[in-house]
Amino acid sequence: MAGTIQAVRGMNDLLPDAAPSWLRFDAAVRDVVRQYGYRYMQVPLVEVTPLFARAIGEVTDVVEHEMYTFDDRLNGESLTLRPEATAGIVRAAIEHSLTYERPQRVWTTGPMFRHERPQKGRYRQFHQFDVEALGFEGPDVDVEQIVMLHRLWRELELEGIVLHINSIGDAEERRAHRAELVAYFSEHADALDADSQRRLHTNPLRILDSKNPAMQPLIAGAPRLLDRLGSATRAHFDGVRRLLGDSGIGFTVDPRLVRGLDYYNRTVFEWMTDRLGAQGTVGGGGRYDGLFAQLGGKPTPACGFAIGIERVLMLMQDGGSTASDAPDAYVVHVGERATRLAMSVAENLRDAGLAIVVHAGGGNFGSQMRRANASGARYALIVGDDEAAANVVAVKPLRDSGEQVALSPGELATRIAPIAQPAKHG
Ligand code: AMP
């Protein structure tokens, strides 16, 4: 016999029991982005490979090791499953002159693909909620995005997510800092691990991002870009800190925060938690004022962030957050006349906005009632021969005590709707 086929390692199914939390997150996101005037857009899951190489940077973990890249079977063009959304959005903004007349606030969501070693909170197909402000110089939009995320955490009743921010300067300041870093790390070349030695001349800034514990003392002594910002960059960062201060959101300035993608400049930020073990970054972002030009577009300042949806869901579960997709009522029916009444009653209740599951697949009252209980519905609506003959439905509360009552189809909607509706957000 043939063996069963399993999902690709690191790629997960979202099963129905886990879906209510996912949909709750989704609804909260849609609410929040609407409140801040960010507009939805989509870009393809597949882009030409040079887009990511140019945007994210040749010498980054993502581009060097983690991309799902393959050749188009017709013309041999190299294509890549998107590892993140910003590059595609900026490509689309340039291609469609999105920011030609005015700046744009946009957002998107969907799967991203990175060939990392799967572990708790880290997958090969994962999902992001992604927000971009295109054509804004900031620092107001930088802070707007942080405040927006803070509101999202509040909506979802998530606690213990802390904000780290930093400024990684402009291109010129980074070049000068880079030269200083190369000099510093070259002096201590013996203490560098293999990865860092390789990065010393390709991308020394990324050495600061090393997770190797043995490297940490050396990294702690490295020259700090934050101490060498020029006046414009410093003014920008001061603005970010001032507006953040006004917002009342607590934050830590972390001079070591660099982020793993090369396109960032000036403001960078991350939201972290200690509740997810090693994968403590819930999301992050920052400014990428050079990316439009880097991808052949007109220079356009921009700022954005991405949140890892799986990690937020883990936090929601950790915090005991509940979301339910239980119907308002489950209709139990035995006999042909009963079935016809059951189906028309269900449609009337749906007209009133209620969620009604009509039992399907037959069975006696006992087995149908077990399904009704398992569905989580607040009410069982019971129709048998006697009810069908009298044109009534027996209403039995399933989740609280209360008498079973017989109601006519006309009475049902008016009686059930007000009782069932408040439970929807419970
Ligand atoms: P990045 O695009 O690398 O800045 O990632 C933004 C956020 O996406 C991270 O903070 C994580 O929450 C999430 N994320 C990144 N990579 C993965 C992954 N392999 N699995 C799950 N979530 C991820």
Side-chain angles (χ1 to χ4, degrees):
M1 202 176 89
T4 58
I5 293 176
Q6 301 198 315
V8 176
R9 191 163 122 82
M11 304 202 179
N12 301 309
D13 302 305
L14 175 70
L15 298 179
D17 279 351
S21 296
W22 187 291
L23 295 177
R24 183 179 170 205
F25 173 82
D26 210 61
V29 159
R30 276 161 213 273
D31 247 14
V32 168
V33 290
R34 183 187 55 79
Q35 288 189 288
Y36 287 80
Y38 283 76
R39 300 164 72 207
Y40 184 64
M41 69 179 281
Q42 282 180 352
V43 290
L45 299 195
V46 179
E47 300 272 3
V48 297
T49 306
L51 172 67
F52 300 116
R54 261 160 78 181
I56 299 171
E58 297 276 3
V59 193
T60 55
D61 286 342
V62 172
V63 171
E64 277 187 309
H65 307 297
E66 297 171 1
M67 296 210 300
Y68 281 88
T69 296
F70 55 96
D71 291 338
D72 182 287
R73 61 167 76 188
L74 227 49
N75 63 10
E77 185 171 37
S78 179
L79 304 177
T80 292
L81 295 183
R82 65 179 184 191
E84 55 98 62
T86 306
I89 287 187
V90 171
R91 193 259 319 131
I94 296 169
E95 190 169 333
H96 304 287
S97 307
L98 262 195
T99 55
Y100 186 69
E101 286 184 346
R102 63 187 77 88
Q104 297 272 353
R105 290 176 168 90
V106 298
W107 73 282
T108 198
T109 185
M112 309 294 157
F113 302 85
R114 294 184 195 173
H115 200 278
E116 301 190 79
R117 197 166 56 77
Q119 52 189 286
K120 182 172 176 247
R122 190 199 275 174
Y123 313 104
R124 289 179 173 171
Q125 175 177 317
F126 59 100
H127 296 75
Q128 285 184 341
F129 156 49
D130 183 89
V131 167
E132 315 287 353
L134 311 175
F136 296 92
E137 223 155 1
D140 46 358
V141 288
D142 311 21
V143 173
E144 169 181 281
Q145 295 185 345
I146 291 172
V147 170
M148 176 159 85
L149 275 172
H150 188 255
R151 182 177 293 277
L152 180 66
W153 308 145
R154 229 170 46 214
E155 289 291 316
L156 295 170
E157 298 164 285
L158 292 177
E159 283 165 8
I161 307 181
V162 297
L163 173 64
H164 288 199
I165 66 169
N166 187 24
S167 175
I168 56 169
D170 280 340
E172 196 43 54
E173 293 149 16
R174 290 171 77 172
R175 253 193 299 280
H177 179 241
R178 182 192 150 110
E180 271 191 282
L181 274 184
V182 173
Y184 170 81
F185 284 123
S186 301
E187 258 175 56
H188 301 86
D190 304 345
L192 295 178
D193 62 14
D195 249 2
S196 302
Q197 275 179 8
R198 200 167 45 84
R199 290 196 161 125
L200 183 55
H201 294 288
T202 49
N203 196 348
L205 201 66
R206 296 275 292 122
I207 299 179
L208 301 177
D209 211 18
S210 164
K211 300 285 182 285
N212 182 354
M215 290 283 302
Q216 298 312 311
L218 188 61
I219 289 171
R224 303 186 340 167
L225 178 54
L226 195 57
D227 300 330
R228 289 160 177 79
L229 297 181
S231 59
T233 312
R234 176 148 298 283
H236 188 106
F237 196 48
D238 288 345
V240 168
R241 279 191 289 199
R242 195 162 45 240
L243 290 169
L244 261 185
D246 291 349
S247 77
I249 297 170
F251 64 93
T252 306
V253 175
D254 177 1
R256 297 282 161 229
L257 182 62
V258 290
R259 315 245 333 114
L261 317 177
D262 277 356
Y263 49 62
Y264 289 106
N265 70 315
R266 294 199 172 182
T267 318
V268 291
F269 62 88
E270 281 189 353
W271 292 91
M272 335 256 269
T273 173
D274 55 12
R275 298 184 188 184
L276 295 179
Q279 310 304 322
T281 310
V282 181
R287 217 150 244 294
Y288 50 91
D289 299 327
L291 186 53
F292 273 73
Q294 216 169 301
L295 294 178
K298 184 168 149 262
T300 306
C303 181
F305 68 79
I307 295 302
I309 298 179
E310 282 84 356
R311 293 192 192 169
V312 176
L313 290 188
M314 284 163 67
L315 281 177
M316 286 167 70
Q317 277 146 19
D318 185 62
S321 154
T322 52
S324 165
D325 58 1
D328 297 308
Y330 190 100
V331 187
V332 161
H333 54 99
V334 176
E336 193 193 321
R337 282 181 72 190
T339 298
R340 293 173 64 185
L341 179 58
M343 294 189 74
S344 78
V345 158
E347 277 306 303
N348 286 341
L349 292 174
R350 290 174 187 135
D351 285 346
L354 298 178
I356 309 295
V357 174
V358 178
H359 180 83
N364 59 27
F365 278 115
S367 66
Q368 292 195 29
M369 282 304 291
R370 278 196 291 283
R371 291 275 192 90
N373 274 308
S375 76
R378 280 172 70 84
Y379 297 96
L381 306 183
I382 305 165
V383 197
D385 285 339
D386 294 348
E387 284 80 9
N391 196 35
V392 293
V393 173
V395 180
K396 181 178 163 60
L398 295 177
R399 281 162 50 195
D400 38 40
S401 57
E403 293 295 298
Q404 178 170 321
V405 291
L407 298 177
S408 72
E411 291 169 313
L412 256 184
T414 45
R415 289 283 292 277
I416 300 276
I419 315 173
Q421 286 299 8
K424 283 205 135 42
H425 304 286

